[in-house]
Amino acid sequence: MEQFGGRYGEDVFRPEQAGEGERIDFGALAYDDITMARLRALGAGPGWRCLDVGAGTGTVSRRLLAEAGVTSVLAVDRDVRFLSERPLPGLDVLEADVTAPDFDPGRFRLVHARFVLMHLPEHDRLITRLAELVEPGGVLVLSDAVDLTSGLPEAVTPGTPYTAVMRAMWQGLRDTIGTDVGWVPSYPHLLRGAGLRPVAAEIHVPPLLPGSPISRFWADTWQRSRAAMLATGLVDDAAVDAAVRYLDSDECAALSAGMFTVWGGKPGEAGQEATDPTTGPVSSG
């Protein structure tokens, strides 16, 4: 039974809180190049109508238009203040809750969601629903975090200020808003269960270097989720402060959480293009 009662953007990481857009952009700086390389390798380009779920500040949506040259992007989020700040031809913005039963914005050649489903319940239903929004010959691409140190013995991952606070963060977010990264490695199985073929996956782990975007992202994330972390009893204020200092020091030798990305193609009708996870568009006719 779910014990949490809060939601992302309400109890933690509120968009109206000063600096929240900058926190999201630190994550974008760490991961956008990897995301864009994968989307372009899968064929994203002219003629593609795209859906970007949980689009945040819109960095992926805008790069799909500016760099990949897709025809249009529908950027969806529960709060679109960051998306509405910089209009762009081809970029449509929709304020909506993807968990709502009536969420049905149409069919798209690309459906993309990054760091969204890990914060939401009903994972199986949501993946099935997103797969239904992919048009024949299109592709669903999902990315979420994986905690690569969880469950490993201390001899492999010796205790540091970073590892202690990361464990408290994951537990605090799970208790507060239901964030659960433990199920993320099951993505490939769930995409196959949703009827997508073929399916493939990869992991990217950015280096934790002093002043790097990912280090600044985690430091800011800890500050904004500090109350939830302290409530676990696993850390205190001094431990969080020590972890922030550790991230910005030359002594930091920790492994960041990774971005696990999985993609699968919707079988196309005769004469249409399908998407192969390793080579991009291929003829299915």
Side-chain angles (χ1 to χ4, degrees), residues 107-126:
R107 301 297 177 267
F108 301 86
R109 187 67 178 273
L110 167 67
V111 175
H112 170 257
R114 188 177 72 183
F115 303 135
V116 177
L117 298 187
M118 58 190 266
H119 299 298
L120 301 173
E122 302 183 80
H123 313 128
D124 291 23
R125 181 185 72 81
L126 287 174

Side-chain angles (χ1 to χ4, degrees), residues 2-108:
E2 298 169 353
Q3 300 298 315
F4 60 91
R7 299 190 71 176
Y8 184 104
E10 295 177 359
D11 296 77
V12 186
F13 311 128
R14 297 186 304 277
E16 68 272 15
Q17 187 177 6
E20 178 60 12
E22 287 79 2
R23 184 189 75 89
I24 296 172
D25 281 344
F26 284 139
L29 287 169
Y31 294 112
D32 271 8
D33 286 348
I34 300 301
T35 294
M36 286 303 303
R38 173 48 53 200
L39 297 181
R40 297 190 73 174
L42 289 169
W48 283 48
R49 294 181 61 252
C50 307
L51 174 65
D52 193 13
V53 176
T57 58
T59 56
V60 171
S61 297
R62 292 185 173 88
R63 289 183 67 170
L64 279 168
L65 289 162
E67 298 174 20
V70 303
T71 297
S72 65
V73 179
L74 178 61
V76 178
D77 212 303
R78 290 179 58 240
D79 189 303
V80 299
R81 70 186 67 200
F82 302 127
L83 292 167
S84 301
E85 287 176 351
R86 289 185 293 139
L88 184 70
L91 177 63
D92 297 312
V93 174
L94 174 64
E95 188 165 270
D97 185 347
V98 299
T99 66
D102 60 350
F103 177 72
D104 188 6
R107 301 297 177 267
F108 301 86

Side-chain angles (χ1 to χ4, degrees), residues 261-273:
T261 299
V262 62
W263 56 94
K266 174 73 70 70
E269 299 174 0
Q272 289 185 316
E273 272 191 336

Side-chain angles (χ1 to χ4, degrees), residues 78-225:
R78 290 179 58 240
D79 189 303
V80 299
R81 70 186 67 200
F82 302 127
L83 292 167
S84 301
E85 287 176 351
R86 289 185 293 139
L88 184 70
L91 177 63
D92 297 312
V93 174
L94 174 64
E95 188 165 270
D97 185 347
V98 299
T99 66
D102 60 350
F103 177 72
D104 188 6
R107 301 297 177 267
F108 301 86
R109 187 67 178 273
L110 167 67
V111 175
H112 170 257
R114 188 177 72 183
F115 303 135
V116 177
L117 298 187
M118 58 190 266
H119 299 298
L120 301 173
E122 302 183 80
H123 313 128
D124 291 23
R125 181 185 72 81
L126 287 174
I127 286 180
T128 298
R129 184 70 192 105
L130 292 179
E132 292 171 347
L133 301 180
V134 180
E135 66 182 28
V139 62
L140 173 63
V141 183
L142 303 176
S143 296
D144 263 320
V146 284
D147 180 8
L148 301 175
T149 64
S150 178
L152 295 178
E154 290 190 4
V156 178
T157 56
T160 66
Y162 171 85
T163 55
V165 169
M166 283 295 280
R167 286 167 181 156
M169 181 199 72
W170 292 125
Q171 184 62 53
L173 293 180
R174 183 168 186 169
D175 293 344
T176 305
I177 59 175
T179 299
D180 185 0
V181 298
W183 70 280
V184 172
S186 69
Y187 265 166
H189 172 75
L190 294 174
L191 263 66
R192 284 185 60 85
L196 302 182
R197 301 287 190 280
V199 171
E202 63 189 358
I203 294 178
H204 172 69
V205 183
L208 291 170
L209 299 172
S212 65
I214 192 62
S215 293
R216 297 179 70 180
F217 171 81
W218 288 125
D220 202 359
T221 296
W222 294 341
Q223 298 290 14
R224 293 169 189 273
S225 59

